[in-house]
C-alpha cells in the first residue's frame, strides 16, 4: 500500500507547477517516482444478467443484458471491470470479446501510466465503448487498490454530497406499474420510461399511488416539437423534475427549442456519448447524462463532468443494467453531480459483487479502495 502522506505531498508538488491538474498525469508521475515493475495481465469472460422484470423502453423490451467481466492483475493485486451491452449500443458478447483479444498490455509495466494505457486502448479500434470501459474500470480499480484509496478520495470529492438515486420503472400495464412503484418504496425519486402513446397513462398511474418526484426518460420517443413542449408543461404540473432525451438526437434544433420553452430541465442522453459531444450539447440541452458504457469509462467521464460544470450545465450520472462493479465505478463521481440514476444492479437478480449501497434512497459509497467493491462469486 502506498503511503498516503507521500502521495499527497507528491500531488501538491505537481499542483504548484500546473494550472490544471490531470490526475492521471499525477498518478503516472507517482508511479515513475516509486517504480514497482511488473506485468499487467488482462482476463475476461462473458456473463448474462437476469432482469427481475421485463424491461421496456420506447424502442424495445428485454429480460436479459449481456455483459463481459474483466480482471486486470498486477503483482498479485486484481482490479475488476465490466462491459454492459444493452441493444442500442451495438455491442455484443462477440464484439467485446473480439476487441479485448486485441488488447496487448505487455508493453506497459506500470499501471500508474493510466493516460498512456487508456489512450492506447481507445486507439485500438473505433467504437467499442463498453469494451473499452471494461478495461478502464479494471485499471482504476487496480490503481486505487495499489494506492489504498477509493477514487472519490483520489479525486478529492466529499462522499457526503452524493445525491439520491432514481429507481427506474419501465413502460408497462397499469397493474404492473403500480406493483413496481410499491417495490420502489425505499427510493426518493422515480425514473419513468415514456415515449409511446401511453405516456400520460404511465404518469397518471404512478400519481394514483405516490406523490414522489419523478423524472422521465423519453428515449427519443417524441418527434413533434409542439407535442414535446405541451408534454413538458403537462409533466411539470404532475411533479416531474426533468426530461431526458425528449426528441431524436438528430433533431438538434427541435431539442434546443424544447429546452428554451420547457418549464423543466432537459437532459441529453443518446445525444451525448463522449467528451466531444459535451460542447455540442451546450445550449441544446440543460444538462447531460454521463454513462461509463457510452464514454469508455471513468477517465473520460471525469473529463466530461469537469467540462459540463465549466459550461454551467446540469449533470446526471447514469447507467445501464450492470452489476455492482460498473455501478460502483460510476458512483465514485456522484458527489459532483445533480442527479444519479444508478439502479442498474438493483434491477438484476444475479449480481456477483458487493459495492455502492442505496441507503434511504441515497447513493452511499464504501471506503473500500479502487471502485469500492468486493467480489462475491
Amino acid at each position: 500500500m502506498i503511503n498516503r502522506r507521500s502521495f499527497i505531498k507528491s500531488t501538491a508538488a505537481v499542483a504548484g507547477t500546473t494550472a490544471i491538474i490531470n490526475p492521471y498525469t499525477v498518478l503516472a508521475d507517482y508511479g515513475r517516482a516509486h517504480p514497482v515493475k511488473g506485468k499487467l495481465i488482462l482476463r475476461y469472460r462473458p456473463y448474462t444478467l437476469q432482469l427481475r422484470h421485463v424491461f421496456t423502453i420506447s424502442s424495445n423490451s428485454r429480460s436479459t443484458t449481456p455483459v463481459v467481466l474483466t480482471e486486470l492483475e498486477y503483482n498479485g493485486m486484481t482490479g475488476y471491470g465490466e462491459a454492459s451491452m444493452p441493444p442500442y449500443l451495438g455491442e455484443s458478447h462477440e464484439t467485446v470479446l473480439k476487441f479485448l483479444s486485441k488488447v496487448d498490455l505487455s508493453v506497459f509495466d506500470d499501471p500508474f501510466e493510466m493516460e498512456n494505457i487508456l489512450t492506447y486502448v481507445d486507439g485500438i479500434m473505433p467504437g467499442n465503448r463498453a469494451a473499452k470501459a471494461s478495461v478502464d474500470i479494471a485499471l482504476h480499480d487496480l490503481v486505487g487498490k495499489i494506492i489504498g484509496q477509493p477514487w472519490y478520495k483520489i479525486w478529492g470529492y466529499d462522499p457526503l454530497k452524493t445525491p439520491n438515486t432514481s429507481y427506474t420503472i419501465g413502460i408497462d400495464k397499469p397493474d404492473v406499474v403500480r406493483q413496481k412503484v410499491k417495490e420502489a418504496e425505499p427510493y426518493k425519486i422515480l425514473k419513468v420510461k415514456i415515449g409511446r402513446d401511453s405516456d400520460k397513462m404511465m404518469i397518471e398511474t404512478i400519481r394514483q399511488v405516490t406523490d414522489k418526484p419523478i423524472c422521465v426518460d423519453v428515449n427519443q420517443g417524441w418527434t413533434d416539437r409542439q407535442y414535446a413542449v405541451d408534454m413538458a408543461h403537462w409533466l411539470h404540473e404532475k411533479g416531474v423534475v426533468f426530461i431526458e432525451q425528449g426528441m431524436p438526437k438528430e433533431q438538434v434544433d427541435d431539442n434546443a427549442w424544447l429546452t428554451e420553452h420547457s418549464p423543466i430541465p432537459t437532459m441529453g442522453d443518446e445525444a451525448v456519448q463522449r467528451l466531444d459531444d459535451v460542447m455540442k450539447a451546450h445550449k441544446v440541452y440543460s444538462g447531460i447524462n454521463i454513462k461509463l458504457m457510452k464514454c469508455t469509462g471513468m477517465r473520460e467521464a471525469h473529463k466530461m463532468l469537469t467540462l459540463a460544470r465549466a459550461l454551467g450545465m446540469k449533470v446526471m450520472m447514469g447507467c445501464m443494467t450492470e452489476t455492482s462493479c460498473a455501478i460502483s465505478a460510476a458512483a465514485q463521481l456522484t458527489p459532483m453531480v445533480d442527479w444519479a440514476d444508478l439502479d442498474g444492479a438493483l434491477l438484476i437478480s444475479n449480481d456477483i459483487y458487493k459495492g455502492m449501497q442505496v441507503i434511504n434512497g441515497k447513493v452511499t459509497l464504501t471506503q473500500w479502495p479502487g471502485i469500492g467493491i468486493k467480489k462475491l462469486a
Side-chain angles (χ1 to χ4, degrees), residues 228-261:
V229 79
D230 289 345
M231 281 297 299
H233 283 275
W234 184 84
L235 291 167
H236 178 53
E237 294 173 359
K238 296 295 182 180
V240 172
V241 295
F242 69 82
I243 298 167
E244 187 177 342
Q245 200 62 61
M247 307 184 75
K249 62 182 181 180
E250 296 82 8
Q251 295 179 217
V252 177
D253 291 342
D254 288 335
N255 277 299
W257 187 86
L258 173 60
T259 298
E260 181 182 357
H261 293 87

Side-chain angles (χ1 to χ4, degrees), residues 19 24 75 95 143 162 193 211 214 240 250 271 277 317 340 360:
Y24 303 98
N75 285 346
T95 63
V143 169
T162 56
K193 295 287 187 177
D211 60 358
I214 294 173
V240 172
E250 296 82 8
D277 296 320
M317 199 70 214
N360 293 325

Side-chain angles (χ1 to χ4, degrees), residues 32-52:
R32 283 191 288 270
H34 300 76
V36 182
K37 303 301 181 183
K39 184 178 181 181
L40 284 164
I41 303 171
L42 177 65
R43 294 186 292 267
Y44 45 88
R45 66 183 177 96
Y47 190 64
T48 299
L49 303 181
Q50 304 294 326
L51 277 63
R52 297 183 186 275

Side-chain angles (χ1 to χ4, degrees), residues 147-161:
I147 295 173
Q149 297 293 339
W151 270 91
Y152 68 82
K153 285 191 177 182
I154 296 171
W155 279 324
Y157 297 161
D158 182 353
L160 298 180
K161 292 185 177 180

Side-chain angles (χ1 to χ4, degrees), residues 112-231:
F112 283 86
E113 294 285 352
M114 299 181 73
E115 192 73 39
N116 289 339
I117 293 170
L118 295 175
T119 298
Y120 154 72
V121 171
D122 195 17
I124 292 174
M125 293 173 60
N128 294 278
R129 295 187 299 271
K132 293 170 182 177
S134 72
V135 180
D136 171 286
I137 295 168
L139 182 61
H140 278 81
D141 193 34
L142 175 64
V143 169
K145 286 175 176 173
I146 295 172
I147 295 173
Q149 297 293 339
W151 270 91
Y152 68 82
K153 285 191 177 182
I154 296 171
W155 279 324
Y157 297 161
D158 182 353
L160 298 180
K161 292 185 177 180
T162 56
N164 293 324
T165 182
S166 55
Y167 184 87
T168 303
I169 297 177
I171 299 170
D172 221 315
K173 298 177 181 178
D175 57 336
V176 179
V177 171
R178 283 189 286 268
Q179 178 60 36
K180 290 179 179 179
V181 172
K182 290 181 181 178
E183 293 176 8
E185 179 58 31
Y187 304 94
K188 309 296 185 183
I189 181 170
L190 303 177
K191 177 176 177 175
V192 183
K193 295 287 187 177
I194 61 174
R196 294 185 176 180
D197 56 8
S198 58
D199 289 358
K200 289 189 176 182
M201 178 276 292
M202 287 289 297
I203 303 302
E204 288 171 341
T205 299
I206 291 169
R207 281 292 173 249
Q208 291 170 7
V209 291
T210 183
D211 60 358
K212 288 180 181 178
I214 294 173
C215 56
V216 296
D217 187 357
V218 188
N219 287 118
Q220 308 182 88
W222 300 336
T223 56
D224 179 77
R225 63 157 63 177
Q226 188 59 54
Y227 174 82
V229 79
D230 289 345
M231 281 297 299

